[in-house]
Amino acid sequence: MLSKQYECPDCGGSEGYRSRRRNLLEKYILPLMMLQPVRCTSCYRRTHVSMFVHVPPRMPKLSAKGHAAA
Ligand SMILES: [Zn+2]
């Protein structure tokens, strides 16, 4: 397996989440370079990391408890 752990280049944090692709560069060029935009959960720095780095998708805001999720 080629999956690696994410590490923020700024604060060294190991937790980040996938960020939305904002522009044409991120939508079309990053995938070609095998990169994905990731935001650090600690310092909120946005970086591009390899697609082989496992990063969870952004957590949807949890609303009222008890509502069964699909
Ligand atoms: Zn960071």
Side-chain angles (χ1 to χ4, degrees):
M1 289 284 271
L2 285 164
S3 66
K4 295 187 292 182
Q5 185 84 33
Y6 168 74
E7 190 183 316
C8 175
D10 214 33
C11 71
S14 59
E15 276 181 59
Y17 57 80
R18 233 174 286 155
S19 190
R20 283 188 61 159
R21 296 179 200 275
R22 283 179 179 171
N23 49 43
L24 292 179
L25 172 101
E26 299 195 336
K27 221 170 185 175
Y28 300 108
I29 310 299
L30 287 189
L32 293 178
M33 296 168 66
M34 305 292 273
L35 294 173
Q36 60 181 335
V38 176
R39 191 181 291 280
C40 174
T41 52
S42 305
C43 68
Y44 298 102
R45 187 194 165 100
R46 211 163 174 279
T47 50
H48 299 146
V49 302
S50 163
M51 280 178 170
F52 295 116
V53 175
H54 177 73
V55 186
R58 180 158 43 171
M59 287 291 195
K61 261 201 171 166
L62 293 174
S63 47
K65 251 189 166 184
H67 184 73

